[in-house]
Every structure is written in C-alpha cells, then in structure tokens.
Amino acid sequence: MPDPFDPAEFDAPPPSDPGADYRTLLDAMRKAGAEGVAQQVAALSRQIEQDARQRAEGAAQAGAGVDALHRAAGQLQRISAGVWWDRLKEWIAAALIGLGLIFAAALAYRWAQEPKIERQLYGCTARWDAKTQTCKGNWVPLQAE
C-alpha cells in the first residue's frame, strides 16, 4: 500500500500541455484572492480609523468630564471654606454675647450684694480728734428730715 502523502509527487514537474489551463485558473484565483485581501484590508483599515475616531471622541468627552469635575471640586472647596468661615464667625459672636451676658450678670449680682447705705450728714458735737479720726462727743444729724 503506498503512503498517502508522498513528497516525491510534489517534486515532479507539472505536465506541459494541461498546465496552461491550470495556470489561467490559478492566476484568476490569485487575482480574486488579492482583490479579496485588498477589500478585507480596506475594510479593516476603515474599522481601525473609525475605532480611533471613536476613541478620540471618547477621550475628549472624558477630558471634558474631568475638567468639569475639577471645576466642581474647586467650587465645592471654595464654598466649604466660606461655610467654615461663617461658622467660625457665628461661634465667635455667640461666645462674645455669652461673655457679655456673664459680665452683666456678675455686675448685677455685685450690685445686689452691696449694702444699702442711707446718706445723711452727721456732725460731731464736741471736739474732733484729727489724729485718731474720732469724735470726742456725740453725733447729731445736721439736717432735720
């Protein structure tokens, strides 16, 4: 039984007369193959160009989105700083009001604790000792009420 794949068959020269028919057929197949490959390459290059355009558009949109996010983050940071400053001013104002109220309450308490002194002028009936700051006599009211 002969070997199904004999390399010697491929080394034999082609027949002289029937080769012309096959050569025409082979050239037609090559031409069709080249045209088919050219069409496939053209279609593939169009697809690659379209994908590249879509990627460029997507990158541009993503870049615009990133820029918008950066702007929003900057605005949020400025607003946050403003809110923080407003809160600080509110706390300082509340603390000053509280201190004012405490001071006013302390003054009112101190005033309430002072004894009530009735003012009436008295005079010494006898001799006044300047050295000891005492009266040697009796004290009498100078004005009658």
Side-chain angles (χ1 to χ4, degrees):
M1 183 163 194
D3 190 15
F5 178 72
D6 187 13
E9 291 178 14
F10 296 103
D11 292 336
S16 61
D17 188 27
D21 296 335
Y22 291 119
R23 191 169 294 117
T24 306
L25 180 61
L26 184 61
D27 286 340
M29 287 173 47
R30 283 184 186 150
K31 185 177 177 186
E35 288 175 1
V37 168
Q39 289 174 356
Q40 289 179 354
V41 167
L44 185 60
S45 68
R46 282 192 301 270
Q47 183 66 33
I48 289 171
E49 288 174 1
Q50 184 180 4
D51 289 346
R53 279 193 302 274
Q54 287 175 351
R55 273 193 229 105
E57 289 172 3
Q61 289 175 354
V66 167
D67 290 342
L69 283 176
H70 282 294
R71 282 192 304 274
Q75 289 174 351
L76 184 61
Q77 188 175 9
R78 284 189 298 279
I79 290 169
S80 176
V83 168
W84 178 84
W85 182 246
D86 289 342
R87 293 286 183 245
L88 179 65
K89 289 189 291 186
E90 289 172 3
W91 276 96
I92 290 172
L96 289 175
I97 291 170
L99 285 174
L101 289 174
I102 290 171
F103 183 71
L107 282 177
Y109 179 76
R110 184 81 171 173
W111 179 77
Q113 293 298 318
E114 288 182 2
K116 301 293 183 240
I117 299 174
E118 295 179 13
R119 298 197 177 211
Q120 191 171 9
L121 296 176
Y122 289 90
C124 185
T125 57
R127 204 177 56 137
W128 177 256
D129 188 4
K131 196 178 214 185
T132 60
Q133 299 285 322
T134 56
C135 178
K136 298 293 183 188
N138 292 328
W139 290 98
V140 292
L142 296 177
Q143 293 178 349
E145 289 185 24

